[in-house]
Amino acid sequence: MASQSVILTGDRPTGPLHLGHYVGSLRDRVRYQNSYKQFIMLADAQALTDNMDDIDKVHRNVVEVALDYLAVGIDPTKTTVFIQSQIPELAELTFYYLNIVTVARLERNPTVKEEIRLRGFERDIPAGFLTYPASQAADITAFKAGVVPVGEDQIPMIEQTNEIVRRFNRMYNREVLMECKALVPDIGRLPGIDGKAKMSKSLGNTINLGATSAEITAAVKKVYTDPLHLRVEDPGHLEGNIAFTYLDAFDPEKTALAEMKAHYVRGGLGDSIVKKRLDLVLQEMLAPIRARREEFAKDKGQVIQMLKEGTFKAREVAARTADEVKSALGLNYF
């Protein structure tokens, strides 16, 4: 059995990664790769559950997201980066797990219910989308991951994975699959520049990791602040002020930031000064990421080779788990 040292994480390749991804996962993954055996999955098959009418978007972004990984410091010699669709054992495990979970249980999953609502599916839900919890359980258990970094909204998915694990082990009276623990980042979900609760590609309220200097400045100008702060001398509010939310997440000068906050609250500090500081902080943080991304993008063939090698390594691990599951099910005829 695997130990708690195995970690699995990943992204749906439906667009370039942004500051929300950086705060929510990427920054931590760079750290995790030095203390865990880390697998990062490009979930292209899962992305197709609601993008079958735009498959080019998924294909194109596999390499684009991989470039973002490399740009932030993911090291393929320490982290195994792989493509979900190229490991058929994951689909095979999903099929077996679907036989031990009910439609009613899938529909009760709070994460799935919310995603269905956001997409306006109502009852026209793609079956693959509804069964995502079983697919995620396959991804996690295939690598016997003991730790899965997720946002708080994804905790029900981890709970359902563990339900599947316990039921499978109990039904076949052997400890084939292992439970996992959710690892929630210290900083929660980063809101969009417009003040919406979620920074989202589909809402167009993001700052991408590969954004140019001009794009960063233009986005910062649009960042939501305090609508009641009409004059410089007026006291300002920090709650719901996205400029300060971003500074809390990214400004390394915490003492100076605390002083800026106090000045803003008592009045006499304009939003333009706050945004100027935010622009500077983001420019300094994203410039080296952008430069590394541009360098890696010069040889996309090398990026594909990295993905090919990572996928080969990951498939070896997933195949061993699939063999153990099939043995428990008595499907080892030869």
Side-chain angles (χ1 to χ4, degrees):
M1 296 294 287
S3 71
Q4 289 289 102
S5 63
V6 179
I7 194 167
L8 175 76
T9 181
D11 299 283
R12 287 161 42 103
T14 55
L17 302 184
H18 50 66
L19 288 180
H21 295 110
Y22 188 70
V23 166
S25 59
L26 295 175
R27 189 163 54 181
D28 288 335
R29 291 178 196 175
V30 175
R31 189 174 77 251
Y32 295 152
Q33 68 185 353
N34 294 315
S35 52
Y36 290 95
K37 183 177 181 181
Q38 181 170 243
F39 292 89
I40 298 181
M41 180 177 72
L42 286 156
D44 59 333
Q46 204 282 322
L48 289 177
T49 60
D50 58 339
N51 283 284
M52 285 294 281
D53 59 344
D54 194 2
I55 59 174
D56 287 342
K57 177 174 72 173
V58 177
H59 297 165
R60 181 176 66 253
N61 281 299
V62 164
V63 171
E64 293 303 311
V65 172
L67 284 171
D68 286 331
Y69 289 164
L70 294 169
V72 300
I74 298 298
D75 184 346
T77 67
K78 297 179 179 179
T79 293
T80 302
V81 183
F82 67 95
I83 302 174
Q84 182 185 34
S85 66
Q86 303 307 295
I87 302 183
E89 288 81 5
L90 299 179
E92 184 180 10
L93 289 172
T94 300
F95 180 78
Y96 299 143
Y97 296 169
L98 285 173
N99 294 317
I100 58 174
V101 65
T102 66
V103 172
R105 177 63 183 93
L106 292 169
E107 289 179 330
R108 286 199 308 273
N109 186 300
T111 306
V112 174
K113 285 172 68 175
E114 177 62 11
E115 293 294 336
I116 287 171
R117 185 192 68 78
L118 288 173
R119 286 165 173 76
F121 284 146
E122 295 184 358
R123 292 305 299 170
D124 293 324
I125 310 165
F129 194 90
L130 179 64
T131 59
Y132 175 49
S135 173
Q136 187 176 64
D139 299 332
I140 294 168
T141 58
F143 300 98
K144 297 191 175 175
V147 177
V148 184
V150 293
E152 286 202 29
D153 61 319
Q154 293 289 315
I155 289 177
M157 304 294 274
I158 302 303
E159 292 172 347
Q160 189 154 13
T161 290
N162 287 335
E163 285 178 18
I164 290 172
V165 166
R166 288 192 292 269
R167 188 169 188 197
F168 185 96
N169 290 343
R170 185 173 64 250
M171 288 176 73
Y172 304 105
N173 197 30
R174 60 178 81 182
E175 296 293 314
V176 175
L177 305 178
M178 102 177 244
E179 293 187 43
C180 61
K181 293 183 179 178
L183 182 60
V184 180
D186 294 334
I187 298 177
R189 174 176 282 175
L190 198 69
I193 63 173
D194 55 0
K196 297 284 177 62
K198 182 179 181 182
M199 183 175 278
S200 167
K201 291 167 282 193
S202 60
L203 294 175
N205 61 359
T206 68
I207 299 177
N208 294 337
L209 295 178
T212 65
S213 177
E215 288 170 341
I216 294 168
T217 298
V220 169
K221 286 179 179 177
K222 298 177 183 176
V223 167
Y224 185 85
T225 54
D226 175 9
L228 301 177
H229 191 230
L230 302 177
R231 298 175 302 173
V232 172
E233 59 268 27
D234 290 340
H237 299 85
L238 301 179
E239 186 176 351
N241 190 320
I242 304 306
F244 280 108
T245 300
Y246 286 8
L247 285 170
D248 279 335
F250 301 115
D251 193 337
E253 303 294 336
K254 300 304 180 187
T255 301
L257 176 57
E259 292 172 356
M260 177 178 275
K261 285 180 175 180
H263 191 174
Y264 190 80
V265 169
R266 69 175 178 265
L269 183 64
D271 288 336
S272 62
I273 302 298
V274 177
K275 289 187 176 184
K276 184 177 180 180
R277 175 61 188 170
L278 177 60
D279 185 51
L280 177 64
V281 167
L282 293 181
Q283 297 285 2
E284 290 182 349
M285 185 186 80
L286 292 177
I289 293 174
R290 182 172 61 247
R292 287 193 297 267
R293 196 183 196 284
E294 290 171 352
E295 190 62 30
F296 284 117
K298 291 177 181 177
D299 189 354
K300 290 188 177 179
Q302 198 62 25
V303 178
I304 292 290
Q305 182 62 29
M306 179 268 289
L307 293 173
K308 183 177 180 180
E309 292 173 3
T311 299
F312 180 81
K313 287 169 60 178
R315 187 174 181 187
E316 287 186 323
V317 177
R320 287 196 293 271
T321 301
D323 284 344
E324 292 173 7
V325 167
K326 289 168 75 173
S327 177
L329 294 172
L331 301 179
N332 50 348
Y333 302 111
F334 311 114

